[in-house]
Amino acid sequence: MWNEKIETMPRAELKKLQSERLVKQVKRMYEKVPCFKERMDNLGLKPEDINGVDDLHKLPFSYKSDLRDNYPYGLFATDMSEIVRVHASSGTTGKQIVVGYTENDLEVWQDCVARMFTELGADKNSFVQISFGYGLFTGGLGAHGGAQKIGATVIPTSTGNTKRQIQTMIDFGTTVLCSTPSYALYLAEEIEAMGVKDKLKLKIGIFGAEPWTDDMRKTIENKLNIKAYDIYGLSEIMGPGVACECKAQDGMHIWEDNFIPEIIDPETGEVLPEGATGELVFTTLTKEGFPLIRYRTRDICSLNYEKCSCGRTHVRMNKPSGRSDDMLIIRGVNVFPSQIEEVLLKVSGENITPNYQIIVDRVNNNDTLDVNVEMSEAMFENEIISIEKTEKQITAMLRSTLGIGAKVHLVNPKSIERSEGKAKRVIDKRKI
Ligand code: DLL
C-alpha cells in the first residue's frame, strides 16, 4: 500500500479525523466564501454549530449551478496568489466550470492517485502511458502526477493520434494504460487491425471518467489481454483519484481522509440509510483552493461500509449506473444508457461490435428510441436474413430489459464515430 496507515485506519479513528477536518473546513469556508456564508446564515447556522461528522446533514448542499453562478473564481477559498493550477470541465451542457488547486492540493491529489496506482500493481518499474486528455480536463495531468509520484516511467501521450499512440506503446514498452474505457476500446480495435497484439507488453488498464459496464470491461480485457480496473473522480472534487477499485474489485474505495460521501434521495435531499441507492454527495475535507460542502454530483450509486478483503477500511462505492441528468425518460419510462450497453454487449461477439449509438427523438408527440449498432466485418458480408434476425433478437432483449420498444439498426462496420475521450453515445434530439 502507498499510505498504509491511512488506507487501513480503523473507522472510529477515521471518523475522528474527518470530524476535526470538517470543523476546520466549515470555519474556513464561512470566512472566505461569501456564497457559503450566505447559505449558512439563511439556515441560521454558525460554524460553531458544526462539531463533527454527525452534524454534516445540517449543512447546506452545493450544486453545479453554484460553480456557474460564481464563474470563474467566486468559490475559491484562498487568495489567487496561492492557486498554482486551474482545471475546467465543460460537462454536457452549458458554460464550463473552473476549479483551482494550491500547492498542497496538488500534493494531496498526487497522494490519492499514487494509492490507486500502487494498489493496482504499478510501481517504479512500470511504464505508464497516460492516454487521458492533457489540458483543462483533469484526467491527463491528474493521472500523470500520481504516476510520477510512485516513480513510474510516465509516457504522456494524451489522446488522439491513435496509430502513433499504439506504436509508442510497442516501442516504449508500456505496461500500464490509463484512458477512458471507450478510448481503450478504440485502441484495441486499431491494435487488432494493425495485427500487433503480440507485440504489446500491456498488463494493466486503468479506466474511468465515464460509465462503463462489466461486460464492456470483459470485452476490453479480452481484446487487450490485460486486467482492467475502474477509477472514478470528478473535477469539482479533485479529478481522477477520488475513488478507485482495489484488486478485490468489489467497489471503488473513496479516500475518506479527504472526502466524506453521502447518499441522498435526489428528489427530497434526505440522507438515505447505508446500502441504499441514490445520489452521491461529497464534502471535501482537505481542499484549500476550491473546497466544497455537500456537493451534489448527480451520480447514482450506493455505498458499502463493510471491511474489504484487501484490508482497506475506506468505504466503497459501486459503479455509478449513470448520472441522474443522463437518465432518459422515454414514453414515461426511465432508461439509463448503461442498461442498453449491457444488452448489446451480451449479444456482441461474432456478429456485432461493442460500438453503438442511442438516438432519442419525438415524432408526432411520441418518443422514439433508435439504437444503432455496428455489425462486424463478418456479418457485413453475410446475408441480409441473418442481419434481420440479429436485429430482432436485440429488439426483443431490449424490450424485456427496458420495458419499452426500440428500433434496432445494424449499421456498417466503422460507421459510428470513435471517441478519444468521453464517448458521446446518446443523441437526444428532443433537447436540440
Ligand atoms: O472525468 C475525472 C476523471 C478523469 C475520472 C479520469 C476518472 C478518470 P469530469 O470530467 O468532471 O471528471 O467528469 C466527472 O464523470 O461525475 C461521473 O458522472 C463520470 N465518471 C467519472 N468516472 C466514472 C466512472 C473526470 N468510473 C463525471 N464510472 C462524474 C462512471 C464516471 N462514471
Side-chain angles (χ1 to χ4, degrees), residues 89 132 137-139 207-212 230-236 239-240 252 297 299 319-320 323 422:
S89 154
F132 284 122
F137 176 53
T138 53
F207 306 130
E210 63 184 359
W212 54 311
D230 195 6
I231 62 167
Y232 169 90
L234 63 166
S235 321
E236 299 90 308
M252 294 183 269
T297 66
D299 290 321
K319 200 183 251 310
R323 300 172 55 79
K422 300 188 192 226

Coordinates of all heavy atoms in Angstrom, one line a residue, residues 89 132 137-139 207-212 230-236 239-240 252 297 299 319-320 323 422, ligand 1:
S89 N -14.0 22.0 -16.7 CA -14.8 20.9 -17.3 C -16.0 21.5 -17.9 O -16.7 22.4 -17.3 CB -15.2 19.9 -16.2 OG -16.3 19.2 -16.6
F132 N -5.3 9.7 -21.3 CA -6.4 10.7 -21.0 C -5.9 12.0 -21.6 O -4.7 12.3 -21.6 CB -6.5 10.9 -19.4 CG -7.2 9.8 -18.7 CD1 -6.5 9.2 -17.7 CD2 -8.5 9.5 -19.0 CE1 -7.2 8.2 -16.9 CE2 -9.1 8.5 -18.3 CZ -8.5 7.8 -17.2
F137 N -8.9 19.4 -18.9 CA -9.5 18.2 -18.4 C -8.6 17.6 -17.3 O -7.3 17.6 -17.5 CB -9.7 17.1 -19.5 CG -10.2 15.8 -19.1 CD1 -11.3 15.6 -18.3 CD2 -9.5 14.6 -19.4 CE1 -11.8 14.4 -17.9 CE2 -9.9 13.4 -19.1 CZ -11.1 13.3 -18.3
T138 N -9.1 17.2 -16.2 CA -8.3 16.7 -15.1 C -7.6 15.3 -15.3 O -6.7 15.0 -14.6 CB -9.1 16.6 -13.8 OG1 -10.2 15.7 -14.1 CG2 -9.6 17.9 -13.2
G139 N -8.1 14.6 -16.3 CA -7.7 13.2 -16.4 C -6.2 13.1 -16.7 O -5.5 12.3 -16.0
F207 N -9.1 2.5 -16.1 CA -10.0 3.3 -17.0 C -11.1 3.9 -16.1 O -11.5 3.4 -15.1 CB -10.7 2.3 -18.0 CG -9.7 1.5 -18.8 CD1 -9.8 0.1 -18.9 CD2 -8.7 2.1 -19.5 CE1 -8.9 -0.6 -19.6 CE2 -7.8 1.4 -20.2 CZ -7.9 0.0 -20.3
G208 N -11.5 5.1 -16.6 CA -12.6 5.8 -15.9 C -13.0 7.0 -16.7 O -12.6 7.2 -17.8
A209 N -13.7 7.9 -16.0 CA -14.2 9.2 -16.5 C -15.5 9.1 -17.2 O -16.1 10.1 -17.6 CB -13.2 9.9 -17.4
E210 N -16.1 7.9 -17.3 CA -17.4 7.7 -18.0 C -18.0 6.4 -17.5 O -17.2 5.5 -17.1 CB -17.3 7.8 -19.5 CG -16.5 6.6 -20.0 CD -16.3 6.7 -21.6 OE1 -16.8 7.6 -22.2 OE2 -15.6 5.8 -22.1
P211 N -19.3 6.3 -17.5 CA -19.9 5.0 -17.1 C -19.5 3.9 -18.1 O -19.4 4.1 -19.3 CB -21.4 5.2 -17.2 CG -21.6 6.7 -17.4 CD -20.3 7.2 -17.9
W212 N -19.3 2.7 -17.6 CA -19.0 1.5 -18.5 C -19.4 0.3 -17.7 O -19.4 0.2 -16.5 CB -17.5 1.4 -18.9 CG -16.5 1.5 -17.8 CD1 -16.4 2.4 -16.8 CD2 -15.3 0.6 -17.7 NE1 -15.2 2.1 -16.1 CE2 -14.6 1.0 -16.6 CE3 -14.9 -0.5 -18.4 CZ2 -13.4 0.4 -16.2 CZ3 -13.7 -1.1 -18.0 CH2 -13.0 -0.7 -16.9
D230 N -11.5 0.0 -12.6 CA -12.3 1.2 -12.8 C -11.9 2.2 -11.8 O -11.6 1.9 -10.6 CB -13.8 0.7 -12.4 CG -14.8 1.7 -12.8 OD1 -14.5 2.7 -13.5 OD2 -16.0 1.5 -12.5
I231 N -11.8 3.5 -12.2 CA -11.5 4.6 -11.3 C -12.5 5.7 -11.5 O -13.0 5.9 -12.6 CB -10.0 5.1 -11.5 CG1 -9.8 5.7 -12.9 CG2 -9.0 4.1 -11.2 CD1 -8.6 6.5 -13.1
Y232 N -12.7 6.4 -10.5 CA -13.8 7.4 -10.5 C -13.3 8.7 -10.0 O -12.4 8.8 -9.1 CB -15.0 6.9 -9.6 CG -16.0 8.0 -9.3 CD1 -17.1 8.1 -10.2 CD2 -15.9 8.8 -8.2 CE1 -18.1 9.1 -9.9 CE2 -16.9 9.8 -8.0 CZ -17.9 9.9 -8.8 OH -18.9 10.9 -8.6
G233 N -13.8 9.8 -10.5 CA -13.5 11.1 -10.0 C -14.3 12.2 -10.7 O -14.9 11.9 -11.7
L234 N -14.2 13.4 -10.2 CA -14.9 14.5 -10.9 C -14.1 15.8 -10.6 O -13.5 15.9 -9.5 CB -16.3 14.6 -10.5 CG -16.8 14.9 -9.1 CD1 -18.2 15.3 -9.1 CD2 -16.6 13.7 -8.2
S235 N -14.1 16.6 -11.6 CA -13.2 17.9 -11.5 C -13.6 18.6 -10.2 O -12.7 19.1 -9.5 CB -13.5 18.8 -12.6 OG -13.7 18.1 -13.8
E236 N -14.9 18.8 -9.9 CA -15.3 19.6 -8.8 C -14.6 19.2 -7.5 O -14.3 20.0 -6.6 CB -16.8 19.6 -8.6 CG -17.6 20.1 -9.8 CD -17.9 19.0 -10.8 OE1 -17.0 18.3 -11.2 OE2 -19.1 18.9 -11.1
G239 N -10.7 15.4 -9.4 CA -10.3 14.8 -10.7 C -10.2 13.3 -10.4 O -10.7 12.8 -9.5
P240 N -9.4 12.6 -11.3 CA -9.2 11.2 -11.0 C -8.6 10.9 -9.7 O -7.8 11.8 -9.2 CB -8.3 10.7 -12.2 CG -7.6 12.0 -12.6 CD -8.6 13.1 -12.4
M252 N -15.4 0.7 -5.5 CA -14.2 1.6 -5.5 C -14.1 2.3 -4.2 O -15.0 2.9 -3.7 CB -14.5 2.6 -6.6 CG -14.5 2.0 -8.0 SD -14.6 3.3 -9.3 CE -16.4 3.3 -9.5
T297 N -23.4 15.5 -6.8 CA -22.7 15.0 -8.0 C -23.6 14.6 -9.1 O -23.2 14.6 -10.3 CB -21.8 13.8 -7.7 OG1 -22.7 12.7 -7.4 CG2 -20.8 14.0 -6.6
D299 N -24.4 11.7 -9.7 CA -24.1 10.3 -10.0 C -24.9 9.4 -9.1 O -25.0 9.7 -7.9 CB -22.6 10.1 -9.8 CG -21.8 10.7 -10.9 OD1 -22.2 10.8 -12.0 OD2 -20.7 11.3 -10.5
K319 N -20.2 0.9 -9.0 CA -20.1 1.6 -10.3 C -21.3 2.5 -10.5 O -22.4 2.0 -10.4 CB -20.1 0.5 -11.3 CG -19.5 0.8 -12.6 CD -19.7 -0.4 -13.5 CE -18.4 -1.1 -13.9 NZ -17.3 -0.2 -14.3
P320 N -21.1 3.8 -10.7 CA -22.3 4.6 -11.0 C -23.1 4.1 -12.2 O -22.5 3.8 -13.2 CB -21.8 6.0 -11.2 CG -20.4 6.0 -10.8 CD -19.9 4.6 -10.8
R323 N -25.6 9.2 -14.5 CA -25.9 10.4 -13.8 C -27.4 10.6 -13.9 O -28.1 10.3 -14.9 CB -25.2 11.6 -14.5 CG -23.7 11.4 -14.5 CD -23.1 12.6 -15.4 NE -23.5 13.9 -14.9 CZ -23.0 14.5 -13.8 NH1 -22.1 13.9 -13.1 NH2 -23.4 15.7 -13.5
K422 N -14.3 11.1 -23.6 CA -15.5 10.5 -23.2 C -16.4 10.3 -24.4 O -16.6 11.2 -25.2 CB -16.2 11.5 -22.2 CG -15.4 11.8 -21.0 CD -16.2 12.6 -20.0 CE -15.3 13.1 -18.9 NZ -15.9 13.0 -17.6
Ligands
DLL1 O1 -13.9 12.6 -15.5 C1 -12.3 12.9 -13.8 C2 -11.7 11.6 -14.1 C3 -10.7 11.5 -15.0 C4 -12.1 10.4 -13.5 C5 -10.1 10.3 -15.4 C6 -11.5 9.2 -13.8 C7 -10.5 9.1 -14.7 P1 -15.2 15.2 -15.1 O2 -14.8 15.5 -16.5 O3 -15.5 16.4 -14.2 O4 -14.0 14.5 -14.3 O5 -16.4 14.2 -15.0 C8 -16.9 13.7 -13.9 O6 -17.7 11.7 -15.0 O7 -19.4 12.9 -12.2 C9 -19.3 10.9 -13.4 O8 -20.5 11.2 -14.0 C10 -18.4 10.5 -14.6 N1 -17.4 9.4 -14.2 C11 -16.1 9.6 -13.8 N2 -15.5 8.4 -13.5 C12 -16.5 7.5 -13.7 C13 -16.6 6.0 -13.6 C14 -13.5 13.2 -14.7 N3 -15.5 5.3 -13.3 C15 -18.1 12.8 -14.1 N4 -17.8 5.4 -13.8 C16 -18.6 12.1 -12.9 C17 -18.9 6.2 -14.2 C18 -17.7 8.1 -14.1 N5 -18.9 7.5 -14.4

